[in-house]
Amino acid sequence: MEIIIARDYEEMSKISADIIASQIRKKHDSVLGLATGDTPLGTYKELLRLHREEGLDFSKIKSFNLDEYHGLAPLHPNSYNFFMQEHLFKHINTIPANEFVPQGNTEDPEEFCAWYERKIQEAGGIDLQVLGIGRDGHIAFNEPGSSLASRTRVKALVRKTIEDNARFFSSIDEVPRFAITMGVGTILDARRILLVANGQKKAEVCAQFIEGPVTSQITASALQLHSHVTVVLDEEAASKLQRKDYYNWVRDNKQLVHKKIGR
Ligand code: F6R
């Protein structure tokens, strides 16, 4: 795993947007995996700027979102579908037919999840998957105990996640108890993975998933099994890492390191 420690949220967002932008410039018809939540908001804002000011072209991009609350219609203001429209899609030139977000109000979740997996395959697989991380170590909505081989399915949310996400709803009772989510196995199939995290509240879990053992109790730790993962953290989220000096040395000597490892 490549660990990049940014000064603050702004720098973290800029670095992650640059990684996404260079993927798009390298391959105009890239398939992106996208996340919602507070963490990537700055990254998406920077992507909008790159689109507006530097002509970053999304017209051939396909995107697949990680997850959606089960039971919410796409136009529900708390749905992840709505979030993506508001914070990204309506400001850039993606083609609506190429923006895939799980449909929360599907009548047949099992059939829908199989279809979603098929669509990802038909698109040629995900080139770059963007992830945030929950305080319980979840990636997408793969809560502790999820199989590390899991595929897209309906998953029950844990109490901590429901509490964390209550801030978006008028009361905690309105937070859906289930979500449709890509599995850990689906995520690990992506060719490259970019995880972003910021803030003190993520410090403990970042140390666990980066430097602790691989365990289904912290599903982000499964990223240790992937060969091309970049983690971009702000100083606070990185504050409990043991090997910070090493990560910073690698970052400061990036050109030398990339020459040696051939990337
Ligand atoms: C969202 C998602 C979640 C979030 C995580 C962190 O699509 O898959 O795993 O990335 O819950 O959320 P924030 O960024 O709000 O702290």
Side-chain angles (χ1 to χ4, degrees):
M1 269 197 262
E2 179 188 21
I3 313 295
I4 301 175
I5 303 171
R7 267 189 314 276
D8 51 24
Y9 180 77
E10 205 183 334
E11 196 192 27
M12 177 204 82
S13 303
K14 186 157 178 355
I15 294 170
S16 42
D18 282 347
I19 292 173
I20 300 169
S22 62
Q23 170 67 42
I24 296 172
R25 290 193 187 105
K26 198 170 67 192
K27 186 178 171 210
H28 297 283
D29 59 350
S30 287
V31 180
L32 302 179
L34 297 176
T36 58
D38 282 341
T39 315
L41 281 175
T43 304
Y44 293 159
K45 218 165 147 198
E46 175 63 9
L47 285 177
L48 306 190
R49 192 193 67 75
L50 290 172
H51 172 64
R52 213 176 39 239
E53 294 175 16
E54 296 180 22
L56 183 65
D57 181 18
F58 292 83
S59 63
K60 298 199 168 59
I61 293 302
K62 279 201 174 104
S63 67
F64 289 87
N65 262 78
L66 287 166
D67 42 20
E68 177 61 285
Y69 288 119
H70 183 39
L72 297 195
L75 291 178
H76 190 289
N78 287 124
S79 74
Y80 284 174
N81 218 300
F82 189 82
F83 175 103
M84 290 309 296
Q85 296 302 330
E86 286 301 300
H87 295 291
L88 188 65
F89 297 147
K90 81 176 187 193
H91 307 283
I92 57 175
N93 64 335
T94 40
I95 309 289
N98 291 336
E99 302 159 352
F100 294 88
V101 182
Q103 192 190 331
N105 62 348
T106 173
E107 290 195 348
D108 188 343
E110 207 176 323
E111 171 52 34
F112 178 84
C113 293
W115 176 85
Y116 204 67
E117 288 275 341
R118 257 192 333 269
K119 288 312 270 185
I120 296 174
Q121 297 260 314
E122 283 166 20
I126 291 174
D127 292 302
L128 176 63
Q129 174 66 61
V130 180
L131 299 173
I133 182 169
R135 280 191 306 142
D136 64 359
H138 69 222
I139 44 175
F141 274 133
N142 293 290
E143 299 286 33
S146 295
S147 157
L148 300 186
S150 50
R151 313 300 306 186
T152 305
R153 69 211 182 290
V154 174
K155 185 81 195 156
L157 304 181
V158 303
R159 188 73 198 167
K160 208 186 226 181
T161 302
I162 293 167
E163 284 167 6
D164 280 351
N165 292 359
R167 66 191 190 279
F168 300 112
F169 293 80
S170 41
S171 89
I172 194 163
D173 298 331
E174 281 180 28
V175 185
R177 266 38 184 175
F178 295 90
I180 294 179
T181 178
M182 280 187 200
V184 181
T186 321
I187 292 168
L188 291 178
D189 281 350
R191 284 183 267 282
R192 184 177 182 187
I193 296 176
L194 166 66
L195 186 145
V196 259
N198 68 290
Q200 199 59 47
K201 64 179 191 295
K202 301 284 174 74
E204 186 69 43
V205 81
C206 284
Q208 286 172 327
F209 95 86
I210 294 168
E211 296 177 338
V214 174
T215 166
S216 66
Q217 299 309 306
I218 296 175
T219 54
S221 66
L223 300 181
Q224 293 178 29
L225 302 171
H226 192 283
S227 62
H228 198 180
V229 176
T230 304
V231 179
V232 188
L233 308 171
D234 73 350
E235 289 274 6
E236 287 188 3
S239 60
K240 297 208 166 146
L241 294 174
Q242 300 287 318
R243 304 175 66 232
K244 251 196 278 182
D245 290 350
Y246 173 74
Y247 309 134
N248 286 333
W249 182 87
V250 173
R251 187 186 172 188
D252 293 344
N253 293 277
K254 210 171 170 131
Q255 278 180 337
L256 172 71
V257 173
H258 280 206
K259 215 163 120 195
K260 294 265 183 220
I261 65 174
R263 258 186 201 143

